[in-house]
Amino acid sequence: MAKNTVVQKILSNHIVSGNAVAGEPVAIRIDQTLTQDATGTMAYLELEAMGIDKVKTELSVSYVDHNMMQNGPENRNDHLYLQSVAAAKGVIFSRPGNGICHQVHLERFGVPGKTLLGSDSHTPTNGGIGMMAIGAGGLDVALAMAGQPFRMAYPKIIGVKLTGRLSPWVAAKDIILKMLEILTTKGNVGCMVEYFGPGVKTLTVPQRATITNMGAELGVTCSIFPSDEMTKEFLEKQGRGESWVELKADDDAEYDKLVEIDLSALKPLAACPSSPDNIRSIAELAGIPVGQVIIGSCTNSSYRDLSIVAAMLRGRKISPDVTLAIAPGSRQVLEMLARNGSLADIISAGARILESGCGPCIGQGQSPANDTVTLRTFNRNFPGRTGTKGDQAYLVSPEVAAAAALTGKITDPATLGFPYPDVRDADKFLIDDSMMITPPCCGRSVEIIRKKTIGSPPVNQALPDTINGTVVIKVGDKTSTDDIMPAGVHLKHRSNIPEYAKVVFERFNEEGKPTFAQRAMAVRDAGGHGVIVGRDSYGQGSSREHAAICPMYLGIKALIAMAVERIHAANLVNFGIVPFTFADKADYDKIEQGDSIVIEGLREKLAKKETPICAVLKKKDGSQAEIKLNYHLSDEDIRIILAGGRLNVK
Ligand code: MIC
Ligand code: SF4
C-alpha cells in the first residue's frame, strides 16, 4: 500500500511529464492562475505576444491590488489595459478595491486538491485551503494561461507535525515565525512544506493561510494544509461548499525531513530588522519604543485578524506616540467589519483606514520616520522596503501590533491587563462578487486599451558564443528582488521597461558615481556583456520578473552566485540570463566590481552540458585566474537560454 503525502497525491494527479524523484525536472498541469497588476501587465503582454486568443485554464483571475495610489496616470492606464485584456482573453477581472489577490482568491476561488500558479511569490497562501499554490514569474503564468504545463523540480517534502493548541494571545503568525526560526530563509529551495498532526484541526482556514503565505519567506516552492472539516466549514460559509473534497496524508506517509511544533508551547514572536528569519520573542523585545503600527497585507488581514484587533481597541485610544494604519485584506472583510460595528471601534481608537490592497507592504505610502521602529503584520522586512533608508521594521501578529498601538512600545499582549477577547470566525461570510467582472464568452471583439505608458516585452538576442563579461556589481548574501528591482515609488513603471530599468540596484548606487544602469549600459553599448556577482540566497523574495527583464534590457548575460532562489532562477532563464553558481565558493572573494570575466565557447559547452564551465577572471590590475562555474539547468532551460529567452522559443 502506497503511503502518500498530500503533496504527492496532488502531484500524481497533475504530472504530465517527468519522474517523481526529488530534484528531477517535472511538468505539472495548472488548473487555475492568478495575476496581480504589478506583475500582470507584463504577463498579459507576454500572453498577447504568444498569440493566444483565450486562456485554457479552468479559471484565471486578474487582480488589481498593488498599484492603487494613482499618483500620475500610469496606475490607471495599467488597470484599463488589464480590465480590457482580461475581457478579451477570458479572464475574470477583480476591480481595484476588491482586495488583495491571495485573500480574495482564498475567499472566492481556492479549491482543495487543485493547482494554482500565480505571478506573485505569496500565491502559496491558498495552500491554507489545500491547494497546491505556487508563485512564479509572469511569463510562466502566461504560459500556464496558454495551456502549457509548469516546469519545476520534483520537490523534497518537509513534514511539519503540529500538536497542542495555541494559547491565548499567541497567533498563527507565531507558528510561521517559529518555522522561520527553525528553517531560516536559506537552504530550502526545491522543498514543499506539508502540515499534519492533531494541531491542524485547531486552526481555521485563514489561520492556515497566514502560515502558508509566509512559507514564501522560507524559500520553499509552496506550503500546504490537508483539506478537512475546517476547510469544509470555511467553504460552506463562503457559499462554496460544493468545492470541498477531503485531502489528507496516508497514515505513516513519509517525509524527507520532519519538524515538530507544539502549539501549546509557543509564545508571541517577532521577525526583527531586517530579515524575516531574525526571530526573537516579544518578551525579550518588550519596552522598545514604537513609532508606527500597520495591520494588513496578505499575511494578516482576514476577518478574524481584524476582528481581534477591533476587540482589543474597543473603547480604548491608541498611544499618542504611534500612528496606526489598517488595510483590510478584502472588500468582504472591510464591509463585514463596517456592518457589525468593528470598523467604528477601530476608527474611534484613532486608526487610519487604508483601502483594501497591498499599500504600505509594497512601499505604497506610510514610510516610517527616520530612526523609528515600525511594527507590521506583514511578511517581509527587507532593508528599505518600507520606503525609508535604514528602516527598522518588525513583523508581528495582529495581537502584538494592536498591543503596541495601545502602549506605544513593544508589549507582550498578555501583560495588557485585559482578558483575551473571545473572537471567532464569522458564522457566514458576506458574499458579493459584484466587483468581479466576468469575461464575455467570446472576447475577440473586445478592444484592448493601451494608453501610452503601456510598453511591450523587450526582445533579446540569442546567447553569444563568447561572454566578454564585465562585473557590473558584486553584492552580498540574501540579495532580494527588492534590492535588484525596487518597488515603492518606482512601481508605477512596471509596464515600461526602459523607464523601470533606470533604477535596477538603486539601493547600491553611490552619490556622484555612475548608477548600476549607467555602468551596465556603458558595457552593453561598447559591445560587451554585463555580469552580476551575488552570494547566498540571491534573488529571494518577490517573484517580480522585472528583476530579470530589466537587467536583460541593460545587457546582463550572466549571474554568478553561491545559490539562487527558485523563482528568480526561473525568471533569469526565461529572459536568457545564465544563472551560474560558483563551483568553488572561495572564488567569490577573488572578484571585484569592474573585473572582466570571459567565458569562451559557452553555447557549445551548455549544449553539451559540460560542467564545470571554465571562465577566465581578468583583474583590473592585469592578473588572471581561472574560475569554475556550475549550473543546474534542465535541457529545456538550456534551449531557452541559447535562444535568448522563452519568448524567442517557438
Ligand atoms: C511583494 O510582496 O514583493 C510583491 C509586490 O507582492 C511581489 C510581486 C511584485 O513585485 O509585483 C511578490 O511577492 O511576488
Ligand atoms: Fe501585496 Fe504585500 Fe502580499 Fe506582496 S506581500 S501580495 S505586496 S500584501
Side-chain angles (χ1 to χ4, degrees):
M1 267 281 280
K3 297 174 207 155
N4 284 327
T5 63
V6 169
V7 164
Q8 286 163 338
K9 289 182 185 187
I10 300 183
L11 283 175
S12 72
N13 281 336
H14 287 85
I15 284 196
V16 293
S17 66
N19 295 326
V21 176
E24 294 270 308
V26 289
I28 61 168
R29 194 183 67 252
I30 296 299
D31 303 319
Q32 299 188 355
T33 63
L34 71 76
T35 54
Q36 42 89 340
D37 52 301
T39 53
T41 44
M42 215 26 83
Y44 293 103
L45 288 166
E46 288 155 357
L47 185 72
E48 285 193 84
M50 290 172 208
I52 301 297
D53 272 354
K54 196 168 195 266
V55 295
K56 301 195 166 56
T57 43
E58 290 173 13
L59 174 102
S60 287
V61 190
S62 169
Y63 294 92
V64 176
D65 51 5
H66 281 63
N67 277 320
M68 315 246 288
M69 303 270 284
Q70 297 182 217
N71 282 329
E74 294 88 346
N75 292 173
R76 191 61 195 145
N77 288 351
D78 282 354
H79 304 174
L80 291 174
Y81 168 70
L82 289 168
Q83 182 167 341
S84 56
V85 78
K89 304 288 175 197
V91 173
I92 295 174
F93 181 72
S94 172
R95 301 179 63 186
N98 204 30
I100 305 174
C101 54
H102 311 302
Q103 171 72 22
V104 179
H105 208 86
L106 189 77
E107 292 166 357
R108 307 306 306 140
F109 300 113
V111 176
K114 298 266 182 193
T115 53
L116 167 70
L117 196 72
S119 62
D120 190 282
S121 62
H122 290 102
T123 303
T125 311
N126 273 258
I129 207 166
M131 275 196 117
M132 180 165 286
I134 301 176
L139 182 50
D140 280 329
V141 177
L143 287 162
M145 288 192 273
Q148 306 232 13
F150 175 63
R151 298 179 306 112
M152 63 174 193
Y154 194 87
K156 280 198 181 138
I157 308 166
I158 304 174
V160 182
K161 183 171 180 187
L162 300 179
T163 58
R165 170 184 289 277
L166 290 175
S167 313
W169 302 113
V170 184
K173 183 65 157 274
D174 300 311
I175 304 177
I176 187 61
L177 292 177
K178 187 74 193 170
M179 283 288 289
L180 280 152
E181 183 182 67
I182 298 169
L183 292 177
T184 80
T185 56
K186 295 203 295 188
N188 306 311
V189 175
C191 298
M192 290 190 183
V193 175
E194 178 172 326
Y195 292 87
F196 69 102
V200 165
K201 65 173 185 301
T202 68
L203 299 170
T204 63
V205 167
Q207 285 179 306
R208 296 175 187 184
T210 293
I211 297 167
T212 54
N213 168 282
M214 214 176 158
E217 276 50 70
L218 297 167
V220 296
T221 307
C222 67
S223 307
I224 193 162
F225 272 82
S227 169
D228 56 8
E229 284 302 312
M230 205 50 119
T231 322
K232 188 173 175 202
E233 196 183 304
F234 177 80
L235 280 165
E236 279 167 356
K237 287 179 184 173
Q238 289 285 353
R240 303 198 292 118
E242 74 291 345
S243 297
W244 183 73
V245 288
E246 189 181 30
L247 202 61
K248 60 174 183 189
D250 295 328
D251 291 342
D252 302 324
E254 281 173 16
Y255 297 93
D256 296 297
K257 180 173 177 168
L258 220 89
V259 174
E260 192 164 334
I261 296 182
D262 175 5
L263 303 182
S264 322
L266 286 182
K267 297 269 180 267
L269 299 171
C272 301
S274 290
S275 179
D277 62 356
N278 187 10
I279 308 296
R280 304 221 353 230
S281 74
I282 293 298
E284 278 174 82
L285 301 169
I288 294 179
V290 174
Q292 182 192 52
V293 175
I294 311 183
I295 300 173
S297 93
C298 56
T299 319
N300 273 124
S301 55
S302 66
Y303 174 74
R304 197 258 174 202
D305 281 340
L306 297 193
S307 297
I308 193 133
V309 168
M312 288 174 70
L313 297 181
R314 190 165 299 140
R316 303 188 171 91
K317 300 288 174 200
I318 62 167
S319 156
D321 302 326
V322 293
T323 59
L324 168 65
I326 299 200
S330 69
R331 195 171 66 107
Q332 180 183 79
V333 170
L334 179 57
E335 193 174 334
M336 285 173 70
L337 297 175
R339 289 190 184 279
N340 73 13
S342 298
L343 186 61
D345 294 329
I346 293 173
I347 294 170
S348 156
R352 297 159 67 180
I353 309 300
L354 308 179
E355 64 181 323
S356 278
C358 301
C361 180
I362 191 58
Q364 300 293 293
Q366 299 283 330
S367 298
N370 293 116
D371 309 318
T372 57
V373 163
T374 175
L375 248 63
R376 298 167 166 226
T377 63
F378 305 169
N379 46 37
R380 289 189 174 140
N381 57 350
F382 300 144
R385 186 169 155 109
T386 62
T388 299
K389 236 183 172 162
D391 52 9
Q392 298 169 51
Y394 291 72
L395 308 174
V396 298
S397 67
E399 287 84 340
V400 171
L406 289 171
T407 62
K409 22 186 200 297
I410 299 186
T411 303
D412 182 343
T415 65
L416 282 171
F418 55 81
Y420 186 56
D422 182 18
V423 169
R424 313 242 163 106
D425 229 333
D427 290 335
K428 185 153 183 11
F429 292 101
L430 189 152
I431 298 159
D432 171 8
D433 290 332
S434 57
M435 295 273 280
M436 305 271 187
I437 302 180
T438 312
C441 53
C442 174
R444 282 226 178 91
S445 56
V446 173
E447 189 208 337
I448 299 179
I449 303 173
R450 277 175 235 279
K451 302 285 181 194
K452 65 178 180 194
T453 54
I454 307 290
S456 44
V459 275
N460 195 21
Q461 311 302 320
L463 186 76
D465 199 36
T466 292
I467 289 199
N468 266 320
T470 298
V471 177
V472 188
I473 197 167
K474 178 182 173 185
V475 288
D477 265 349
K478 295 187 180 179
T479 299
S480 73
T481 42
D482 274 88
D483 290 324
I484 304 168
M485 213 50 270
V489 290
H490 308 298
L491 200 54
K492 65 181 184 181
H493 298 306
R494 282 285 174 92
S495 41
N496 185 343
I497 299 300
E499 191 57 39
Y500 199 26
K502 289 181 186 160
V503 295
V504 176
F505 281 118
E506 189 192 41
R507 196 165 78 75
F508 299 86
N509 290 339
E510 289 173 65
E511 222 168 304
K513 297 204 178 145
T515 63
F516 173 87
Q518 289 164 335
R519 298 196 304 272
M521 281 195 290
V523 170
R524 179 193 72 184
D525 297 345
H529 307 123
V531 174
I532 295 170
V533 172
R535 217 160 179 277
D536 218 351
S537 288
Y538 183 85
Q540 68 171 0
S542 158
S543 65
R544 57 192 72 151
E545 62 185 352
H546 298 76
I549 302 178
C550 293
M552 173 203 102
Y553 173 80
L554 296 173
I556 302 298
K557 293 289 176 206
L559 158 79
I560 312 173
M562 291 188 190
V564 191
E565 294 294 306
R566 174 188 66 89
I567 303 180
H568 187 57
N571 287 337
L572 290 171
V573 170
N574 277 346
F575 292 94
I577 298 177
V578 195
F580 286 118
T581 51
F582 287 104
D584 178 358
K585 290 188 176 179
D587 283 345
Y588 172 85
D589 293 325
K590 296 183 189 155
I591 305 175
E592 284 166 288
Q593 184 179 309
D595 287 348
S596 303
I597 293 183
V598 178
I599 316 173
E600 279 180 356
L602 179 57
R603 289 187 67 86
E604 205 185 319
K605 288 177 180 162
L606 282 177
K608 286 194 194 147
K609 290 198 116 175
E610 194 176 303
T611 42
I613 285 181
C614 294
V616 181
L617 169 68
K618 297 184 181 169
K619 305 283 303 166
K620 281 180 287 187
D621 64 11
S623 61
Q624 290 197 2
E626 189 181 77
I627 54 170
K628 293 199 172 68
L629 309 174
N630 283 336
Y631 52 93
H632 305 277
L633 299 171
S634 67
D635 294 348
E636 180 64 7
D637 291 336
I638 291 176
R639 199 165 77 93
I640 294 169
I641 285 179
L642 292 178
R646 183 64 184 77
L647 289 173
N648 294 351
V649 175
K650 291 293 163 236

